[in-house]
């Protein structure tokens, strides 16, 4: 059980102790950014943001059937094929979330140029890993920018999701992968929502 995202980030930073070559820590917005800020501080590395948006099922937006970044290809899980959605429906769902991802990238960058990923050891951090589909979309977008290595890190993760994400990242680092995972928030005493304002502040304060 973690006290909050900051506590989780500090514990995760201990697991991520180097050596790293020109490391860059990416917080997966929004909840991953406070965790990533602590990791970046612990590693003495710069912090930047990664944005991926869950694609919800029609009429059931909380049921994630995929994910997409602002400019990368969408990732769909097996549930999407079972819904019998047409390619047009999938495209519409994807483009709506892609537009929101682009809006958030612009907001979070706040006029800053994104930190370069090429040739660096990139560590992508989230506050937890449930299904892995959002992480996979973000990892594929980061991989396209030619990092030297790409690591995914989270304080807590579902074991099956770790195996899925491991196919996309060079390494996956977690503090705990409990068999009775159920949900990320279960493993935090304080799991309040992270606001856009907090994300912008953390990125500004560590730039």
């Amino acid at each position: 059980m973690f006290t909050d995202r900051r506590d989780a980030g500090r514990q995760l930073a201990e697991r991520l102790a180097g050596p790293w070559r020109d490391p860059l820590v990416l917080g997966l917005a929004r909840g991953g950014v406070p965790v990533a800020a602590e990791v970046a501080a612990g590693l003495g590395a710069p912090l930047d943001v990664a944005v991926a948006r869950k694609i919800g099922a029609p009429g059931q937006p909380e049921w994630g059937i995929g994910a997409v970044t602002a400019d990368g290809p969408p990732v769909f899980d097996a549930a999407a094929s079972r819904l019998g959605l047409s390619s047009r429906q999938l495209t519409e769902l994807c483009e709506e979330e892609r537009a929101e991802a682009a809006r958030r990238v612009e907001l979070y960058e706040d006029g800053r140029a994104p930190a370069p990923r090429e040739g660096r050891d990139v560590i992508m951090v989230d506050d937890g890993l449930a299904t892995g589909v959002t992480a996979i979309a973000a990892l594929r977008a980061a991989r396209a920018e030619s990092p030297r290595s790409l690591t995914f890190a989270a304080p807590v993760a579902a074991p099956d999701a770790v195996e899925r994400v491991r196919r996309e990242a060079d390494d996956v680092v977690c503090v705990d992968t409990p068999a009775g995972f159920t949900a990320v928030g279960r493993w935090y005493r304080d799991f309040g929502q992270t606001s856009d304002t907090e994300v912008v502040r953390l990125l500004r304060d560590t730039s």
Side-chain angles (χ1 to χ4, degrees):
M1 182 72 73
F2 305 104
T3 302
D4 54 19
R5 289 181 176 88
R6 293 185 63 186
D7 172 48
R10 288 189 288 267
Q11 293 191 46
L12 187 59
E14 293 177 2
R15 299 294 180 99
L16 289 163
W20 300 98
R21 181 183 297 178
D22 194 15
L24 173 66
V25 177
L26 299 180
L28 192 52
R30 290 182 294 200
V33 176
V35 183
E38 296 296 330
V39 171
L43 300 182
L47 173 69
D48 207 344
V49 66
V51 178
R53 291 285 297 171
K54 178 176 65 178
I55 300 171
Q60 301 180 69
E62 292 306 311
W63 179 16
I65 60 171
V68 68
T69 61
D71 49 17
V75 176
F76 291 102
D77 68 12
S81 61
R82 294 196 296 268
L83 291 176
L85 298 173
S86 68
S87 58
R88 179 177 178 179
Q89 286 174 304
L90 289 173
T91 298
E92 290 174 352
L93 290 169
C94 173
E95 291 309 311
E96 180 178 341
E97 297 304 334
R98 190 191 301 280
E100 176 60 16
R103 184 196 71 81
R104 291 195 182 195
V105 168
E106 183 176 3
L107 173 67
Y108 300 152
E109 287 179 350
D110 195 27
R112 299 174 297 106
R117 277 69 158 157
E118 185 175 358
R120 307 178 76 166
D121 287 338
V122 173
I123 307 159
M124 184 175 293
V125 176
D126 203 357
D127 54 12
L129 185 64
T131 66
V133 67
T134 304
I136 289 170
L139 285 165
R140 288 181 180 176
R143 181 74 76 185
E145 298 186 67
S146 304
R148 176 178 177 268
S149 70
L150 185 57
T151 297
F152 184 85
V156 63
D160 56 343
V162 170
E163 293 310 307
R164 286 192 290 272
V165 170
R166 202 181 296 279
R167 302 184 193 115
E168 306 289 336
D170 298 310
D171 194 13
V172 178
V173 177
C174 302
V175 177
D176 196 10
T177 55
F181 174 81
T182 66
V184 173
R186 174 187 172 190
W187 304 96
Y188 288 81
R189 291 189 179 90
D190 178 1
F191 196 62
Q193 187 175 25
T194 303
S195 67
D196 285 338
T197 301
E198 183 179 0
V199 170
V200 172
R201 178 185 62 78
L202 286 167
L203 292 167
R204 184 182 60 241
D205 289 351
T206 55
S207 61

